Amino acid sequence: MGKVSALRNSSKVFSTPRRPYDKERLDQELKRCGEYGLRCKREMWRMMLVLAKIRKAARELLTLDEKDPKRIFEGEALLRRMVRYGLLTEEEQSLDYILQLTTQRFLERRLQTKVFKQGLAKSIHHARVLIRQRHIRVGKRLVNIPSFMVRTDAEKHIDFAFTSPFGQGRPGRVARKRAKAAGGGEEDEE
């Protein structure tokens, strides 16, 4: 029998806007796509759905009594996760702050944005290319997903991969070819 995981139904990871031709929203989405180097608006809609689910969980917990064990346990877990991903600061330890989160905060935590902000790439689009071409690692882990959410503790460990020509890896195909041509040209002159 084949893998069971292949037979499982999975839910959609994005939801389309209710009003597809709202001019103000379209302009704002296009601006955000350019600012954060997103491939398409679906990437933004995915972030919006993640945010909506988190806010929904926070709203449900806020309806419970403050002494309710479910609110205490799940609320603290949710806040701890938000702080770990750098979406909330240590001072913002309240469920009310979760309701004030924006998609912009989520987009700031993507690996693509972090690579550009740290100066490893010349532009936000160059950052995406470097990530997809497996030049970037987070800690010792090679990551090739631009939408990878970077935790605050892993932020300082973003660097070029060990195998990358930009890091300490061997030179790229073109560099090797040029070095060979330069080396071969000198031998002919002697």
Side-chain angles (χ1 to χ4, degrees):
M1 172 115 184
K3 277 190 166 180
V4 178
S5 60
L7 305 175
R8 218 176 288 144
N9 288 332
S10 57
S11 60
K12 282 178 75 171
V13 292
F14 70 95
S15 64
T16 54
R18 285 197 186 109
R19 299 178 65 188
Y21 300 111
D22 183 16
K23 177 89 169 94
E24 192 177 309
R25 182 190 52 77
L26 285 171
D27 292 341
Q28 191 178 10
E29 281 180 353
L30 195 62
K31 184 177 171 235
R32 289 267 188 282
C33 278
E35 188 181 339
Y36 292 101
L38 305 179
R39 185 176 62 89
C40 57
K41 290 183 180 179
R42 191 183 305 143
E43 289 192 337
M44 192 171 349
W45 295 340
R46 190 170 62 213
M47 288 294 167
M48 287 175 166
L49 185 65
V50 168
L51 175 62
K53 285 180 178 176
I54 289 168
R55 289 181 60 180
K56 182 182 177 186
R59 271 198 311 272
E60 284 176 6
L61 291 172
L62 281 167
T63 59
L64 301 172
D65 184 49
E66 281 192 36
K67 301 281 188 280
D68 192 324
K70 181 180 178 181
R71 177 173 170 168
I72 293 167
F73 183 75
E74 289 185 14
E76 284 180 8
L78 188 61
L79 287 168
R80 199 168 41 245
R81 197 163 70 230
M82 295 296 105
V83 169
R84 192 187 301 144
Y85 279 106
L87 299 166
L88 295 177
T89 60
E90 291 289 340
E91 295 80 48
E92 299 174 330
Q93 287 284 338
S94 168
L95 289 172
D96 297 318
Y97 286 107
I98 291 178
L99 299 178
Q100 297 170 8
L101 283 175
T102 59
T103 49
Q104 201 163 354
R105 279 242 182 120
F106 277 85
L107 292 170
E108 285 290 335
R109 300 302 308 172
R110 297 172 86 236
L111 180 62
Q112 182 179 357
T113 313
K114 289 293 170 193
V115 167
F116 173 58
K117 295 272 170 84
Q118 287 186 5
L120 295 174
K122 296 172 189 165
S123 71
I124 195 89
H125 305 289
H126 184 226
R128 189 179 186 96
V129 171
L130 286 177
I131 294 165
R132 284 302 300 157
Q133 293 178 355
R134 301 166 60 91
H135 290 296
I136 303 295
R137 66 181 164 92
V138 178
K140 292 181 179 175
R141 210 165 108 192
L142 196 136
V143 182
N144 68 338
I145 297 156
S147 63
F148 178 82
M149 293 295 279
V150 181
R151 293 181 176 183
T152 47
D153 57 340
E155 200 171 336
K156 53 188 165 283
H157 300 296
I158 298 171
D159 200 10
F160 289 114
F162 297 122
T163 55
S164 169
F166 297 107
Q168 46 276 35
R170 72 178 193 161
R173 179 182 59 83
V174 176
R176 287 196 310 269
K177 190 176 177 184
R178 285 185 181 150
K180 186 179 174 185
E186 288 172 11
E187 289 171 6
D188 292 339
E189 291 172 6
E190 289 177 8

